[in-house]
Amino acid sequence: MTTVVEGIRKSDAAIAIDETAYASRFNDGEIGRDLRLHIAEDSARWVLEEVSKLGTRSERLLLTLVALKAMETQSVMDDRLVTAMLIQALLIAHTSLSSRRLEMPAINRSKRRELDQFLAIFVHTSARILQQGFWNDLCTKASLECDINDMIDGRLFVTVWSELANGSIFHMLSSGLQTKLQGLLDIARPMSETPKQPALDKSVSKTPPAAQLSPYDSDRMTILPFSHFVFDKHLQPISITVQASRNMSGRSAKVFQEVSHWHNAKRRLDPKAAHVLSDRDKMRAMRRNQFFMAEMASYAASLTGVTGKILEPELITVSEDAKPAKEAVERTKENSDTAKQRKGQAAKGASNAKAIIAANVAAKSGGVADKAMAAWKTVRANFDAERSLQSRYRKTKAYLRDLPRDKRAIVQAEVEYYIICTLLKMYRILSKQTDDTNQHQIDGVTALIFSAIRGLPVAKGLTKAIVSQVKSIIQALRLPKVEFPAVETDAKLSFEPDLRLSEIQPVATAYHEFQLLHCGPYMDRNLDSMPDPRVKTFNPDGWQRKVLDELDADRSIFVVAPTSAGKTFISFYAMEKVLRRNDDSILVYVAPTKALVNQIGAEVQARFKKTYGHAGRSVWAIHTRDYRINNPSGCQILVTVPHILQIMLLSPSNAKSWSRKVKCIIFDEIHSIGQAEDGVVWEQLLLLAPCPIIALSATVGNPEQFNSWLTSTQRSSGFDVTMITHQHRYSDLRKFIYKPPRQFSFAGLPEPSFGTLGLDELDGLAFVHPVASLVNKSRGIPQDLSLEARDCLTLWKCMCLHQTEAFPVDQTLDPDRMPQVLRKADIIEWEKKLKALLKSWMLQEESPFDKIVEDLGKPMNDTRPPAHYTSRPEENSVTTEAVTLEADDLYCTTLPLLCKLQERDALPAILFNYDRGKCERICQTIMKQLRDAENNMKESSPSWKTKIRGYEQYLANKSKQNPKKVAVPKKKGKANDEEGTSKADKMQDAASEEANPYANFNPDAPVEGFHFANIAKAEAAELAAIHKELKWRGLEPWLMESLTRGIGVHHAGMNRKYRQAVEMLFRKGFLRVVIATGTLALGINMPCATVIFSGDSVFLTALNFRQAAGRAGRRGFDLLGNVVFQNLTTAKVCRLLSSRLPDMNGHFPVTTTLILRLFSLLHESGNTKYAVDAINSLLSQPRLYLDGPAFKDQVLHHLRFSIEYLRRHDLLSAEGVPLNFAGLTSHLYYTENSSFALNALLKEGFFHELCSEIDTAESRVLRKLMIVMAHLFGRRPCRHSDQEYIENIVKRSPSIVFLPQLPASAAQILQEHNNQTLQIFTTY
């Protein structure tokens, strides 16, 4: 019955009153026919002057008085109604909305009708007054507070009207309100006489009116007593009236003791008692552990480091430097005399040792250099024999990458020069071709040559001959000049380079434009990079060295950097630091998903190994709800999910030992704190962390705000936080919109081109310039909207084209003013200036910003699809029928898109679709297209038929040469040399077998060109083992076939072993196409060249887009990543690119179950220091939750209310001791509030009474028990509840679709529990 009247000053809109509705509601039709408003501007001004004398500037009071004055001729008006309306207008200004939740007084129907008529006329009159022309000017000039958005509170009005009958309402008003009321009544006196009110009694309580009007009796206004030495000091600011003594209930309370686990009816094992396993249990446990370890070992073998090489574990030893400084000082003092005696001896020994080492190095260096050069000559001879220059280039690059560091230093310069010569030969051949379609490939090879030349000056082993010849190549190609260091060494090359520079056609493009257009991905990415002894595999950038400095200082860090920027090594550096410190320190790695947990566990195994002095210890362990690998309490690196870490930190058994050893916690993908389901657990962990933390994320919309909150939480625990941000990806992302052809002919996968990056100039793939997505200027320019080198050039040219006198382009932005050899740092600085100018144009309507967006968006807005696409136009011998494609057919248009990627060597690719069924159907459609085309080829290809005849002849010859021999049993004592063949014969047969082209031919295997698998990346034995295990697990045959064709499906509904196999085979390079939901978007190490967003989805948000797109162009694998939008509208693509990341919103982390668990932690751990510190840290936070206010009163009040609730429901004693079912309730913390409902049913004996008939009516008891538990823990909203669904699905289903009603006795208990909870909250 709350009415809100909104003024035109607030909304600038007239208020329309539905008079017909009022007239139909009231039979006499008083409203709308006979209502006459007597409103004059002079009268309103007089009321304003009188109200101002009372010291109030409220528009609500002014409107109330003017409306009542206009209604004085109405029949419904009386003194009591006028006085009640004025009192409620006063009380609204002095009470909060929650305090006005009053019980409606009992009123007969005639009085109810009278009140309804009065309120309806009052609302109508007020609305008419607000529509008068003078009202807005009158209130504006008087500077009145516009508070008419809270005009009438129906419950409060009726309560005041009811209390006026006995005059008690005046005693509930403070003296100030009584004085103000008297003034208002004097203004309204011409309308009525004031009811006689008693004189103000000095003893009248000054309690606020809302409290006086509370509908609850005095017994409910008391709080049960509570005292605990840890909580008392935090609750001191709260002043609460506590009842002296009261028995909580008639039942007896029992201190909770956990004698069994809630998942197991058996009694808990005594941790101190020796638990002896039987031999069979030992064997089963050992086999189970061996199985998991073998699985993790194979998974770890597929992981690679930043350079793309397979990881090799490093043996970790405890370092003296890593031990605490205090221990080192004490040890030095104790052994100072001994140290002085040994110092002189050590100095002498050290000098002798250094001399010996130097002599050995000098003696061996010559031999190592000779061997390295000899090995290079041998390998180079094999490379020279390669007919394919592309294959020669790739093998040489791989050879140089895999060389050990000492050998690479000897031959690096010559090998890199050999690569330049190979590329130059490629360039010469391509330049002679008259076909203009290969210009893109020529530009790509030229960019590769310049990239190789630019990196040559820092190569080891540089000679005068190499420098001289490379300078000649630069001059012949007219490339930007590269500075070389002064070289004194002059050695003859081990090969004769075939340069033929006179035949080289120079590059026609200017220096800067050539680099910006074609060399952006190859530019020097050195961003303040320097060698650092703490990092062995690469030279860290400046921000990465700052991270290492903060970790060495044992400070908390918050790192925000995009995917592929280099965040991964931070975690492993912290792990190595903990491992080297001692054998007891613990680091916990928290990941949001189990897939990421498995990956990190495998990567830790692949990187580190350590020897411990006693059994039961391990380097790492995994602990999730589903399984555990190694002992979580006996490892140094624990990889887990948030819920498990929370359980371990709040476990009383860990408070005295394990929790105190935790020295660092890594929170990966920290933006998960914003999730609706598990975000509160992340927040609680950050508040309870007993050590420095490392928070990592690539997608945080409000990093400054989150860092501010994180800093305040960590400082209350005694730790400092440093935020380190890095905005630049290592490899750029290039976006395209796919437009499928009208017709498609598939005759096999096309041959990939060489030297081309990106998907430019391919039919059907429209390039999306990032600036073209800024169609909505109100969003501004997102901070993470990055431009690569050629994007900057295109933008600069477009801005110069559309510049005006009012909006010029500064000449300093001309790229010709930049250095001759461009670096990534130069592009970043140029991009910053261009975006600043563009942003200034965006804010002004008359600027040419719209024209720039229109011009840059022309390629993606061109909706004309290609007419026809043939995957292999050169295969004229195979006739392929053209298939007509629908543009919106997501399934049939995927294979043409993959063929386009194959043309540019842009595989492997991950296709993201957030529908599991669509992922599987896309895979099945591709499989069918490949299979049908393969069968068509086999039927029509003469070469295939010839090959089959040759294979059949090979089998026939083989059977003649090796007839079946009759097995003759060997006689004991004799060697029986006549049987079998010798080892040499077997080797000769194997060699001849391998020489036969049909030896490894399998006619049933997918034919080359009709599968995406890279068969060279995985061994046949490994594939056979995977197939065997997946078949044993009952995997569907089509999924097995998809693996053989290089295609995988990945979503949460798939078999865990199959998902793991897909991840391993994709990382190894065997699978080159994976169709997945969001399971691969969050931190999983799945490097790919291209990410495809296949189809739209409500889950495809700005956050998920950035997470998924980050899989493309991973560091160490690709210089450029491609992002393709398939079957998405241009508007949706622009929204995804231009939307800013969502802010990380917090939760209120102090839940009632958390408080109960804290009391359990204190009580069962004996009030240990860790438990006390954890609670003090939690309750001392100045800002308890992210995005929350900076005051603690509401937190402390919620804490005290929760204690009151737990006390009244027999879960906590007055001294803070857990009682009765406290253990069960706290164990089910993730089901709050259902856990408290279960406690209510247990407390009232519902289950005891129900199960008393289990022996006589088992079926009925179990059914009722199942219904109750389903209501508590398994309720799911039914989205389809219309009549058609009920008739066709529900009634025909053999199952009970809709949950039956809760048993009456249980419903009554829960209803009473709800009422009690409401009373407790209202009383508090």
Side-chain angles (χ1 to χ4, degrees):
M1 195 175 173
T2 300
T3 306
V4 176
V5 178
E6 186 176 356
I8 57 176
R9 288 200 303 126
K10 200 73 173 177
S11 62
D12 294 329
I15 298 179
I17 301 296
D18 191 352
E19 297 183 1
T20 305
Y22 280 120
S24 62
R25 181 176 179 186
F26 304 111
N27 296 329
D28 57 7
E30 183 175 10
I31 301 179
R33 294 199 306 266
D34 301 330
L35 179 60
R36 294 178 178 87
L37 295 178
H38 301 283
I39 306 173
E41 184 175 354
D42 294 339
S43 176
R45 292 187 182 277
W46 175 82
V47 174
L48 175 60
E49 291 177 1
E50 296 299 319
V51 171
S52 301
K53 294 177 182 179
L54 299 178
T56 180
R57 315 295 296 177
S58 171
E59 185 178 356
R60 176 175 52 243
L61 284 176
L62 177 62
L63 181 59
T64 301
L65 284 168
V66 175
L68 292 175
K69 197 172 185 62
M71 294 167 54
E72 58 187 4
T73 61
Q74 300 301 315
S75 59
V76 295
M77 298 292 290
D78 64 15
D79 299 338
R80 187 175 170 187
L81 287 171
V82 173
T83 306
M85 180 59 69
L86 293 174
I87 293 177
Q88 77 92 29
L90 285 173
L91 291 178
I92 284 178
H94 294 82
T95 56
S96 62
L97 183 62
S98 59
S99 302
R100 290 186 249 141
R101 199 187 62 81
L102 305 172
E103 292 182 353
M104 185 68 72
I107 305 175
N108 58 43
R109 295 185 62 183
S110 62
K111 292 295 184 182
R112 169 70 69 179
R113 177 181 174 81
E114 179 183 341
L115 292 176
D116 286 346
Q117 288 180 343
F118 172 78
L119 287 176
I121 296 174
F122 181 84
V123 171
H124 181 80
T125 304
S126 301
R128 290 292 180 88
I129 293 172
L130 291 174
Q131 293 174 354
Q132 301 301 313
F134 68 85
W135 184 262
N136 188 30
D137 296 336
L138 182 69
C139 296
T140 302
K141 292 179 180 179
S143 301
L144 298 184
E145 178 187 357
C146 185
D147 53 0
I148 57 176
N149 60 320
D150 193 5
M151 185 73 182
I152 302 175
D153 190 318
R155 287 178 179 268
L156 182 59
F157 172 75
V158 174
T159 302
V160 172
W161 180 86
S162 178
E163 294 294 332
L164 278 173
N166 53 24
S168 61
I169 185 67
F170 297 105
H171 292 279
M172 298 180 183
L173 300 177
S174 63
S175 59
L177 288 180
Q178 288 197 30
T179 303
K180 188 172 290 188
L181 174 62
Q182 187 62 52
L184 295 177
L185 290 172
D186 291 339
I187 298 174
R189 190 171 299 279
M191 296 178 286
S192 62
E193 291 295 329
T194 307
K196 200 158 216 190
Q197 83 178 55
L200 182 62
D201 189 353
K202 300 296 183 182
S203 63
V204 173
S205 172
K206 295 297 185 291
T207 307
Q212 296 273 3
L213 294 173
S214 177
Y216 298 103
D217 56 22
S218 60
D219 180 63
R220 295 172 181 172
M221 292 297 296
T222 58
I223 305 297
L224 295 179
F226 170 81
S227 178
H228 193 282
F229 77 97
V230 177
F231 287 86
D232 286 348
K233 62 180 181 180
H234 296 288
L235 295 174
Q236 282 181 357
I238 299 180
S239 179
I240 300 177
T241 303
V242 179
Q243 184 174 346
S245 63
R246 176 176 174 176
N247 292 329
M248 290 171 50
S249 62
R251 62 180 61 84
S252 61
K254 182 180 179 181
V255 176
F256 165 75
Q257 291 182 346
E258 188 173 359
V259 296
S260 65
H261 195 277
W262 299 108
H263 294 168
N264 194 333
K266 298 179 180 180
R267 294 185 64 85
R268 290 195 309 164
L269 297 174
D270 185 358
K272 296 182 180 180
H275 181 56
V276 181
L277 294 175
S278 64
D279 293 340
R280 182 176 181 180
D281 290 340
K282 288 182 180 179
M283 183 186 68
R284 294 180 63 182
M286 186 178 298
R287 290 190 61 184
R288 182 170 58 250
N289 188 58
Q290 289 175 346
F291 170 78
F292 276 121
M293 293 302 294
E295 188 178 80
M296 295 301 291
S298 61
Y299 191 85
S302 66
L303 297 169
T304 57
V306 294
T307 60
K309 298 175 65 175
I310 299 299
L311 297 175
E312 296 181 0
E314 179 183 1
L315 180 62
I316 303 297
T317 57
V318 176
S319 172
E320 293 292 329
D321 297 336
K323 293 183 178 180
K326 185 177 180 180
E327 297 180 7
V329 171
E330 293 177 353
R331 186 171 57 252
T332 303
K333 290 181 179 179
E334 294 175 359
N335 303 323
S336 59
D337 296 337
T338 307
K340 290 180 181 179
Q341 294 176 2
R342 295 178 179 176
K343 188 174 181 180
Q345 300 175 2
K348 295 180 181 179
S351 60
N352 295 333
K354 289 180 180 180
I356 296 173
I357 292 174
N360 292 335
V361 169
K364 293 180 178 180
S365 59
V368 171
D370 293 339
K371 291 180 180 179
M373 289 302 298
W376 156 238
K377 291 179 182 179
T378 304
V379 173
R380 184 184 49 74
N382 295 330
F383 293 160
D384 290 339
E386 286 282 345
R387 293 184 178 180
S388 171
L389 295 177
Q390 292 91 337
S391 177
R392 182 188 303 180
Y393 169 80
R394 293 190 180 98
K395 289 183 177 181
T396 310
K397 292 280 289 185
Y399 168 78
L400 182 62
R401 181 196 64 197
D402 296 336
L403 273 178
R405 183 175 300 180
D406 56 342
K407 295 181 179 179
R408 188 188 300 121
I410 299 172
V411 299
Q412 180 181 5
E414 184 168 326
V415 175
E416 290 190 1
Y417 180 57
Y418 181 80
I419 292 174
I420 294 173
C421 294
T422 304
L423 292 172
L424 190 65
K425 187 174 183 180
M426 248 187 276
Y427 175 83
R428 188 170 57 247
I429 295 173
L430 290 172
S431 300
K432 292 180 179 180
Q433 297 177 2
T434 58
D435 189 4
D436 294 335
T437 58
N438 67 341
Q439 183 59 44
H440 191 71
Q441 191 171 358
I442 293 175
D443 295 334
V445 173
T446 309
L448 281 174
I449 294 174
F450 180 68
S451 174
I453 292 175
R454 185 186 49 77
L456 193 60
V458 296
K460 304 289 184 180
L462 202 59
T463 63
K464 290 183 178 180
I466 294 177
V467 171
S468 175
Q469 295 183 24
V470 168
K471 288 182 178 180
S472 301
I473 295 174
I474 294 174
Q475 186 176 2
L477 287 172
R478 296 181 186 173
L479 295 175
K481 294 182 180 180
V482 177
E483 297 295 332
F484 284 88
V487 179
E488 301 296 336
T489 306
D490 191 9
K492 185 179 179 181
L493 292 172
S494 64
F495 67 97
E496 288 293 334
D498 183 18
L499 298 180
R500 286 187 277 177
L501 298 179
S502 59
E503 302 177 12
I504 297 296
Q505 296 182 10
V507 177
T509 314
Y511 291 161
H512 290 97
E513 188 169 354
F514 166 73
Q515 295 178 75
L516 293 172
L517 284 176
H518 308 297
C519 301
Y522 303 103
M523 287 182 181
D524 182 13
R525 289 171 169 79
N526 184 353
L527 300 176
D528 192 22
S529 301
M530 291 178 61
D532 193 296
R534 296 170 292 185
V535 182
K536 303 175 182 177
T537 54
F538 65 98
N539 294 335
D541 295 338
W543 71 273
Q544 293 172 322
R545 295 195 303 275
K546 185 177 179 181
V547 168
L548 300 182
D549 295 339
E550 297 299 318
L551 292 179
D552 289 341
D554 288 332
R555 284 191 284 265
S556 297
I557 57 172
F558 171 42
V559 180
V560 181
T563 308
S564 83
K567 298 189 302 294
T568 305
F569 91 101
I570 299 172
S571 302
F572 296 109
Y573 178 80
M575 293 177 187
E576 183 178 353
K577 190 170 179 291
V578 168
L579 291 173
R580 293 191 184 279
R581 178 179 297 175
N582 51 45
D583 292 342
D584 297 324
S585 298
I586 297 172
L587 179 143
V588 183
Y589 189 102
V590 182
T593 62
K594 289 181 287 187
L596 190 53
V597 166
N598 292 335
Q599 176 186 300
I600 296 300
E603 196 158 356
V604 173
Q605 173 167 317
R607 288 177 179 272
F608 307 118
K609 59 182 178 180
K610 187 177 181 180
T611 304
Y612 294 92
H614 48 279
R617 301 305 308 277
S618 62
V619 171
W620 63 276
I622 286 179
H623 189 187
T624 65
R625 287 188 181 274
D626 299 335
Y627 61 92
R628 290 184 294 181
I629 302 179
N630 292 333
N631 182 12
S633 59
C635 69
Q636 285 196 264
I637 299 174
L638 174 63
V639 188
T640 184
V641 291
H643 282 280
I644 297 300
L645 177 58
Q646 186 194 46
I647 291 173
M648 298 184 72
L649 289 178
L650 295 178
S651 174
S653 60
N654 290 334
K656 298 181 181 180
S657 55
W658 185 86
S659 299
R660 297 170 60 186
K661 297 178 183 178
V662 177
K663 303 303 180 184
C664 182
I665 301 178
I666 300 175
F667 294 94
D668 198 3
E669 309 294 345
I670 191 63
H671 59 267
S672 300
I673 198 174
Q675 295 177 355
E677 297 180 358
D678 298 333
V680 64
V681 181
W682 288 80
E683 210 159 344
Q684 290 172 353
L685 288 175
L686 290 171
L687 294 171
L688 293 170
C691 59
I693 66 169
I694 301 174
L696 306 174
S697 180
T699 50
V700 179
N702 53 339
E704 292 82 9
Q705 182 182 358
F706 179 75
N707 179 65
S708 175
W709 173 79
L710 191 63
T711 301
S712 65
T713 60
Q714 284 287 290
R715 282 180 180 172
S716 64
S717 301
F719 307 109
D720 295 327
V721 179
T722 302
M723 182 177 75
I724 300 173
T725 60
H726 181 69
Q727 299 179 352
H728 311 291
R729 283 178 53 93
Y730 181 81
S731 54
D732 294 313
L733 295 179
R734 204 171 282 180
K735 290 90 176 176
F736 300 88
I737 295 178
Y738 176 60
K739 299 169 185 177
R742 294 190 183 95
Q743 290 187 325
F744 173 56
S745 300
F746 180 69
L749 297 178
E751 291 294 328
S753 60
F754 177 80
T756 55
L757 295 178
L759 307 174
D760 304 278
E761 300 181 12
L762 284 176
D763 290 339
L765 285 161
F767 170 68
V768 180
H769 196 287
V771 174
S773 67
L774 303 177
V775 292
N776 188 349
K777 293 191 286 186
S778 62
R779 295 177 178 174
I781 301 178
Q783 290 184 351
D784 60 342
L785 186 77
S786 61
L787 305 176
E788 60 171 313
R790 71 171 204 165
D791 295 339
C792 292
L793 177 64
T794 309
L795 175 61
W796 175 77
K797 287 184 176 181
C798 190
M799 294 177 76
C800 291
L801 178 65
H802 294 287
Q803 66 178 331
T804 62
E805 293 183 1
F807 298 94
V809 177
D810 195 338
Q811 294 183 357
T812 59
L813 295 177
D814 192 331
D816 290 337
R817 294 175 178 265
M818 290 192 289
Q820 190 175 37
V821 177
L822 299 178
R823 299 168 57 250
K824 182 71 172 178
D826 301 324
I827 304 301
I828 292 174
E829 187 64 26
W830 191 35
E831 174 196 6
K832 183 179 178 181
K833 295 178 181 178
L834 287 172
K835 287 167 68 175
L837 179 60
L838 184 68
K839 187 175 182 179
S840 66
W841 287 11
M842 177 187 285
L843 300 176
Q844 303 183 55
E845 289 294 334
E846 61 275 12
S847 71
F849 177 81
D850 293 332
K851 294 181 180 179
I852 293 172
V853 173
E854 182 182 358
D855 275 5
L856 295 178
K858 286 181 180 179
M860 72 174 182
N861 292 321
D862 185 4
T863 58
R864 294 173 299 176
H868 186 270
Y869 173 52
T870 302
S871 62
R872 275 190 179 183
E874 70 276 4
E875 295 288 339
N876 298 323
S877 58
V878 180
T879 58
T880 56
E881 183 179 355
V883 178
T884 302
L885 301 178
E886 296 292 337
D888 57 349
D889 189 346
L890 181 65
Y891 310 104
C892 293
T893 58
T894 302
L895 182 59
L897 173 57
L898 295 177
C899 290
K900 287 290 184 182
L901 299 183
Q902 172 74 3
E903 282 187 28
R904 285 293 171 85
D905 198 18
L907 294 177
I910 300 179
L911 290 77
F912 284 101
N913 186 292
Y914 292 88
D915 187 305
R916 297 182 183 181
K918 289 183 178 180
C919 288
E920 297 181 6
R921 188 174 174 186
I922 290 173
C923 179
Q924 292 170 344
T925 304
I926 297 174
M927 292 283 298
K928 183 178 183 303
Q929 291 173 315
L930 292 174
R931 195 185 307 111
D932 292 346
E934 184 183 62
N935 293 335
N936 179 51
M937 184 275 299
K938 290 180 178 180
E939 293 175 0
S940 58
S941 173
S943 59
W944 174 260
K945 295 178 180 179
T946 302
K947 192 171 186 178
I948 290 297
R949 287 194 296 269
Y951 178 69
E952 292 173 351
Q953 184 64 37
Y954 162 76
L955 292 179
N957 296 336
K958 186 176 180 181
S959 61
K960 292 179 181 179
Q961 295 174 2
N962 302 305
K964 294 184 178 180
K965 297 181 180 180
V966 179
V968 180
K970 295 182 180 181
K971 297 181 180 179
K972 294 183 180 181
K974 293 185 178 181
N976 199 7
D977 295 333
E978 295 178 357
E979 284 212 25
T981 57
S982 64
K983 184 176 182 180
D985 294 336
K986 291 180 179 179
M987 293 177 63
Q988 184 176 359
D989 293 341
S992 60
E993 187 74 15
E994 292 178 359
N996 197 301
Y998 296 105
N1000 297 320
F1001 177 69
N1002 182 6
D1004 298 326
V1007 181
E1008 189 66 31
F1010 298 90
H1011 66 82
F1012 291 95
N1014 188 346
I1015 57 177
K1017 296 294 184 178
E1019 297 181 359
E1022 181 183 4
L1023 296 175
I1026 293 175
H1027 278 256
K1028 181 179 180 181
E1029 185 169 358
L1030 293 178
K1031 185 177 181 180
W1032 179 80
R1033 292 174 181 263
L1035 195 70
E1036 296 185 47
W1038 70 270
L1039 287 173
M1040 302 280 289
E1041 183 185 357
S1042 69
L1043 291 181
T1044 62
R1045 293 189 183 269
I1047 308 171
V1049 180
H1050 196 289
H1051 60 70
M1054 286 294 183
N1055 179 277
R1056 185 182 68 88
K1057 184 62 180 177
Y1058 170 78
R1059 294 201 310 267
Q1060 203 172 62
V1062 169
E1063 294 172 20
M1064 291 190 298
L1065 293 176
F1066 188 82
R1067 275 194 292 266
K1068 288 179 179 241
F1070 180 80
L1071 295 184
R1072 295 199 300 154
V1073 176
V1074 169
I1075 308 148
T1077 57
T1079 53
L1080 293 182
L1082 202 63
I1084 298 297
N1085 184 3
M1086 295 281 283
C1088 65
T1090 305
V1091 162
I1092 303 173
F1093 291 96
S1094 296
D1096 200 356
S1097 171
V1098 294
F1099 301 105
L1100 184 53
T1101 61
L1103 176 62
N1104 290 335
F1105 162 71
R1106 285 165 172 81
Q1107 287 284 349
R1111 303 308 104 194
R1114 297 298 297 265
R1115 188 167 189 168
F1117 297 92
D1118 304 293
L1119 296 173
L1120 179 72
N1122 302 301
V1123 177
V1124 179
F1125 300 98
Q1126 178 192 10
N1127 205 11
L1128 266 75
T1129 63
T1130 304
K1132 179 63 179 285
V1133 173
C1134 292
R1135 284 199 303 272
L1136 292 175
L1137 295 178
S1138 62
S1139 298
R1140 64 184 300 271
L1141 286 168
D1143 291 343
M1144 291 169 55
N1145 299 317
H1147 312 264
F1148 193 83
V1150 180
T1151 61
T1152 306
T1153 49
L1154 176 63
I1155 294 171
L1156 182 59
R1157 296 166 75 189
L1158 292 176
F1159 279 111
S1160 299
L1161 173 65
L1162 277 171
H1163 174 68
E1164 296 180 41
S1165 67
N1167 298 323
T1168 59
K1169 184 179 183 302
Y1170 165 78
V1172 174
D1173 291 344
I1175 295 173
N1176 289 334
S1177 173
L1178 178 67
L1179 299 181
S1180 299
Q1181 304 290 346
R1183 291 172 57 195
L1184 191 62
Y1185 65 101
L1186 177 61
D1187 201 28
F1191 57 86
K1192 299 191 295 183
D1193 289 349
Q1194 62 183 29
V1195 176
L1196 298 180
H1197 279 291
H1198 178 73
L1199 169 64
R1200 189 61 182 86
F1201 160 72
S1202 299
I1203 293 174
E1204 179 70 10
Y1205 173 86
L1206 297 173
R1207 292 272 288 113
R1208 289 187 178 272
H1209 287 281
D1210 303 329
L1211 293 171
L1212 197 67
S1213 72
E1215 295 77 24
V1217 178
L1219 302 175
N1220 301 321
F1221 297 106
L1224 174 61
T1225 306
S1226 61
H1227 177 75
L1228 297 173
Y1229 69 94
Y1230 50 89
T1231 65
E1232 185 181 358
N1233 305 301
S1234 297
S1235 58
F1236 291 115
L1238 177 63
N1239 174 70
L1241 294 175
L1242 288 168
K1243 183 180 66 173
E1244 298 299 330
F1246 170 79
F1247 293 109
H1248 180 77
E1249 182 180 350
L1250 174 63
C1251 295
S1252 61
E1253 303 177 3
I1254 188 66
D1255 295 330
T1256 57
E1258 180 180 359
S1259 177
R1260 181 176 60 83
V1261 170
L1262 292 178
R1263 178 182 174 83
K1264 185 179 292 187
L1265 180 63
M1266 180 179 64
I1267 291 175
V1268 173
M1269 299 305 286
H1271 270 279
L1272 293 181
F1273 303 106
R1275 297 182 67 176
R1276 297 291 184 272
C1278 185
R1279 299 180 179 178
H1280 304 283
S1281 56
D1282 54 276
Q1283 191 61 34
E1284 181 181 358
Y1285 178 79
I1286 294 175
E1287 293 293 334
N1288 297 335
I1289 304 298
V1290 176
K1291 291 186 177 181
R1292 297 182 181 182
S1293 174
S1295 304
I1296 300 177
V1297 179
F1298 294 128
L1299 191 61
Q1301 292 292 328
L1302 195 66
S1305 56
Q1308 183 178 358
I1309 293 173
L1310 294 180
Q1311 185 60 46
E1312 180 62 26
H1313 172 263
N1314 292 341
N1315 294 336
Q1316 292 175 4
T1317 304
L1318 180 60
Q1319 291 175 6
I1320 295 169
F1321 180 77
T1322 308
T1323 299
Y1324 185 82

